[in-house]
Amino acid sequence: MLFLQTLVTGLSVGGIYALMAVGYSLVFSVLSFSNFAHGAVIMLGAYIGLGLAAKLNLGLGLVLSGSIAGAGIIAVLNERLAYRALRQRRAPSLYLMISAMGCSVFLENMVYATIGSRFYSFPKLFDHQVVEIAGSALSLLDLAAFGVSLISIYALHIFIMKTRMGIAIRAGVDDLTMCSLMGVNTNRLISVVFFLAGAFAGIAGIFLGIKYLVYPTMGWVTNKAYIAAVIGGLGSLPGALIGGLILGVLETFVSVYVSSIMRDVFSFTLLIILLIWLPNGLLGHEAEEKV
């Protein structure tokens, strides 16, 4: 059935969007700024995974682990080198966002200068395998991307709700200054938040690279993830998941049943309509200043 195949593909794309949107929401929930360097971290995570798969012939599990660790470390370094000094000087959120844009451009051009502008494809980790469900041939890659997305986001939810660091992060979302006064090491807390955001960027980069290609500007697809985060409500992890799935399914059905040219039109129209009626997204909370 074409409908079931389209639905699974949409859920797969939506799961990747959700992974990327979680990174945006994590940083935004604590620091109240949009980290536009997140797309570059996703791109670098994809290159790390590509190197592990192509040069070392590692399997998917090790490739994912390496990309998670590498992208997480890059995200932490990005925060320490580009954002920490601004935070300590209590710079407005707009300055952090401008710094993030500069980091994104720098990282992309660094890849252009060192690796080049070629498009690379992953080795056949899934070998285009399909499974038969209800008479439909479903891609194993799509099922894996959707499954890993759900498991990863659920694991993050457990971490946030059940661990001491997770409790500290939730307290930091409410009032980071009060956390500092209560003895919480806020620099460490923020480093953990950026590592988690980078880890999800690494997972997203792997599946994005396997599904499509790896190239220096692939991080710009995070524009869609940002839309998903806004739809769900910036700062809300369940909202990031819901927004990603809604956007992925909508885009896929529009591409199949209407026109691939109209896909982006529907995506941005949905965003505009939703923000008119729900300015904070589906699960977002009201805030005085959000940039």
Side-chain angles (χ1 to χ4, degrees):
M1 292 175 58
L2 179 60
F3 177 85
L4 181 57
Q5 293 175 343
T6 305
L7 177 62
V8 171
T9 301
L11 291 174
S12 168
V13 174
I16 296 173
Y17 285 164
L19 288 171
M20 295 187 285
V22 162
Y24 275 122
S25 293
L26 274 171
V27 174
F28 186 89
S29 64
V30 176
L31 296 180
S32 296
F33 88 100
S34 300
N35 180 23
F36 289 126
H38 190 60
V41 177
I42 291 171
M43 176 267 295
L44 291 174
Y47 272 102
I48 292 171
L50 177 66
L52 295 174
K55 301 298 183 182
L56 301 180
N57 296 317
L58 299 180
L60 179 62
L62 292 176
V63 168
L64 275 173
S65 299
S67 181
I68 288 170
I73 292 171
I74 291 170
V76 172
L77 291 175
N78 181 31
E79 188 278 326
R80 290 191 177 185
L81 297 176
Y83 307 146
R84 181 164 296 185
L86 292 173
R87 286 196 299 104
Q88 292 174 342
R89 295 174 183 176
R90 299 187 179 276
S93 298
L94 179 61
Y95 290 12
L96 291 168
M97 189 174 69
I98 293 172
S99 179
M101 291 177 179
C103 288
S104 178
V105 173
F106 169 77
L107 292 173
E108 284 181 12
N109 282 277
M110 183 182 70
V111 172
Y112 274 120
T114 56
I115 300 177
S117 59
R118 290 181 55 190
F119 288 65
Y120 296 92
S121 60
F122 265 83
K124 304 302 181 183
L125 296 176
F126 285 91
D127 198 25
H128 297 291
Q129 297 178 12
V130 297
V131 294
E132 293 286 339
I133 299 178
S136 299
L138 306 179
S139 168
L140 183 60
L141 170 61
D142 288 337
L143 294 173
F146 179 57
V148 170
S149 300
L150 291 183
I151 293 171
S152 300
I153 294 173
Y154 180 72
L156 176 64
H157 173 72
I158 295 299
F159 175 82
I160 294 294
M161 299 302 296
K162 301 296 184 180
T163 67
R164 292 187 64 181
M165 179 55 69
I167 294 171
I169 290 173
R170 285 191 285 137
V173 170
D174 290 332
D175 194 328
L176 195 60
T177 302
M178 182 59 67
C179 281
S180 177
L181 295 175
M182 295 297 291
V184 176
N185 186 334
T186 54
N187 283 332
R188 181 187 174 194
L189 184 150
I190 291 171
S191 292
V192 171
V193 167
F194 270 85
F195 182 86
L196 291 172
F200 276 83
I203 300 172
I206 292 298
F207 282 107
L208 202 62
I210 294 174
K211 193 172 182 65
Y212 303 108
L213 293 168
V214 179
Y215 52 97
T217 57
M218 65 179 292
W220 285 102
V221 74
T222 52
N223 290 335
K224 297 295 184 65
Y226 190 72
I227 293 175
V230 172
I231 289 174
L234 271 173
S236 169
L237 298 185
L241 174 61
I242 293 172
L245 295 179
I246 290 174
L247 186 63
V249 170
L250 173 69
E251 286 191 346
T252 305
F253 272 91
V254 170
S255 297
V256 172
Y257 290 102
V258 182
S259 169
S260 60
I261 299 175
M262 298 295 294
R263 180 182 60 191
D264 291 347
V265 174
F266 275 77
S267 299
F268 284 97
T269 300
L270 172 64
L271 176 66
I272 293 170
I273 293 174
L274 183 66
L275 290 181
I276 289 174
W277 293 100
L278 295 171
N280 296 298
L282 294 173
L283 300 179
H285 302 287
E286 292 187 6
E288 295 181 359
E289 181 183 358
K290 302 264 183 185
V291 179

